[in-house]
């Protein structure tokens, strides 16, 4: 028997056939229920739609073997929070900072003091939603095509917002850190923005919690030597730690 929750999810799935995403407030109005009711509906298992950064989107898990930001958000949360404290301390008054995509970056944003005045450049929905809550932050969102799996916007055409900006520092997120293969991530569509930010920024900061050490993912960001600094929640095993020291790549820890 179909429950009322099933009926609501079915209506949302039908609505998403006409658009790529639906704001939570609009979904509540469509169904005639509260936003909290929808949140409860989508926290239960076996749903064909998911809540992502205040928007309802079709569950992208039919693309097997891919990275889904909705799955990764709560993974290694304690490690990401410790990392975030170390990373946020790198931002100074009136800096211009590029924030990469991924689930680690909102933790860094949360750790930034609300009184700190800075400009943020971002390319992902979840990072933007965290940044807009910072009252002293001027936020610049790089638009383009939206990819629901990693909440990323990729530019359409040759021009990028980074063509006109020179960030003081760039936080580049990686899902794999390996001495030989360097920094890697899940999705190829992330590489262009990462590389552009690294090219334009004065200081390139690699951010990865300690669960990423020793892992190699399909998309290669680049050699670890391309970064000026690495931030994590704890030190890697001795071989990688010693190699980083030999390459003069500082490791910043909480």
């Amino acid at each position: 028997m179909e429950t009322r929750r099933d009926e609501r999810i079915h209506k949302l799935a039908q609505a998403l056939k006409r658009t790529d995403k639906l704001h939570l407030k609009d979904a509540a109005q469509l169904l005639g229920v509260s936003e909290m009711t929808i949140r409860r509906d989508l926290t239960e298992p076996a749903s064909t739609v998911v809540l992502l950064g205040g928007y309802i989107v079709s569950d992208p898990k039919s693309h097997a073997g891919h990275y889904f930001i909705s799955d990764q958000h709560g993974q290694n949360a304690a490690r990401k929070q410790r990392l975030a404290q170390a990373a946020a301390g790198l931002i100074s008054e009136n800096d211009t900072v590029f924030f990469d995509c991924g689930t680690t970056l909102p933790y860094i944003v949360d750790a930034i003091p609300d009184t700190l005045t800075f400009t943020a450049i971002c390319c992902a929905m979840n990072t933007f939603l965290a940044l807009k809550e910072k009252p002293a932050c001027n936020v610049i969102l790089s638009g383009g095509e939206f990819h629901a799996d990693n909440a990323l916007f990729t530019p359409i055409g040759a021009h990028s917002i980074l063509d006109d900006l020179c960030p003081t520092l760039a936080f580049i997120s990686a899902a794999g850190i390996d001495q030989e293969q360097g920094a890697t991530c899940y999705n190829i569509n992330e590489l262009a923005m990462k590389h552009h930010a690294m090219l334009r920024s004065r200081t390139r900061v690699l951010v990865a919690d300690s669960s990423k050490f020793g892992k190699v993912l399909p998309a290669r960001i680049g050699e670890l030597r391309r970064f000026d600094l690495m931030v994590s929640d704890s030190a890697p095993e001795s071989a990688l730690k010693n190699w980083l020291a030999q390459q003069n790549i500082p490791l910043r820890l909480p």
Side-chain angles (χ1 to χ4, degrees), residues 1-242:
M1 176 183 292
E2 187 176 57
T3 65
R4 289 185 178 179
R5 172 182 178 263
D6 294 333
E7 292 176 0
R8 290 191 292 267
I9 290 175
H10 177 72
K11 287 181 180 179
L12 291 175
Q14 292 301 308
L16 288 171
K17 290 182 178 180
R18 300 185 293 272
T19 182
D20 60 338
K21 61 184 179 296
L22 190 64
H23 196 279
L24 180 59
K25 182 188 299 183
D26 296 331
Q29 291 176 350
L30 174 67
L31 300 179
V33 297
S34 68
E35 294 181 21
M36 184 56 67
T37 295
I38 297 178
R39 287 184 182 275
R40 282 197 298 265
D41 286 347
L42 300 185
T43 56
E44 296 180 22
S47 175
T48 57
V49 298
V50 295
L51 183 63
L52 179 62
Y55 286 85
I56 296 168
V57 298
S58 297
D59 189 348
K61 292 179 183 177
S62 57
H63 307 288
H66 212 50
Y67 171 94
F68 305 105
I69 200 165
S70 55
D71 288 345
Q72 298 294 323
H73 176 71
Q75 297 293 320
N76 301 304
R79 292 177 178 179
K80 292 173 183 176
Q81 288 172 338
R82 291 196 298 271
L83 178 160
Q85 294 297 326
L90 294 169
I91 305 174
S92 300
E93 193 82 13
N94 298 318
D95 272 350
T96 298
V97 185
F98 173 82
F99 291 84
D100 198 8
C101 59
T103 56
T104 302
L105 277 299
Y107 286 95
I108 297 176
V109 175
D110 289 344
I112 300 170
D114 287 347
T115 55
L116 183 67
T117 301
F118 68 104
T119 295
I121 309 161
C122 61
C123 57
M125 178 65 74
N126 62 326
T127 308
F128 168 75
L129 291 171
L131 285 164
K132 76 179 183 66
E133 299 302 320
K134 293 293 172 178
C137 176
N138 175 39
V139 189
I140 301 171
L141 174 62
S142 177
E145 182 182 2
F146 181 68
H147 304 269
D149 51 0
N150 52 356
L152 177 69
F153 291 95
T154 54
I156 297 174
H159 184 78
S160 167
I161 192 69
L162 283 168
D163 291 331
D164 304 316
L165 299 168
C166 295
T168 312
L169 70 158
F171 289 118
I172 306 297
S173 176
I177 302 292
D178 180 78
Q179 180 176 329
E180 298 298 326
Q181 297 294 346
T184 56
C185 61
Y186 285 90
N187 293 333
I188 293 174
N189 65 3
E190 300 177 15
L191 294 180
M193 204 69 177
K194 291 177 188 287
H195 291 162
H196 204 163
M198 291 167 66
L199 179 66
R200 301 293 295 172
S201 300
R202 189 183 312 166
T203 303
R204 295 162 292 276
V205 182
L206 178 62
V207 293
D209 68 72
S210 55
S211 71
K212 310 303 191 298
F213 295 146
K215 293 184 178 180
V216 177
L217 282 303
R220 189 169 189 262
I221 302 168
E223 294 182 357
L224 298 181
R225 295 184 185 91
R226 296 185 61 185
F227 297 93
D228 301 300
L229 174 69
M230 187 165 79
V231 180
S232 190
D233 60 288
S234 62
E237 48 85 25
S238 58
L240 178 57
K241 181 180 179 181
N242 293 337

Side-chain angles (χ1 to χ4, degrees), residues 224-225 227-230 243-251:
L224 298 181
R225 295 184 185 91
F227 297 93
D228 301 300
L229 174 69
M230 187 165 79
W243 184 86
L244 290 170
Q246 292 169 5
Q247 302 302 315
N248 295 315
I249 303 172
L251 179 63

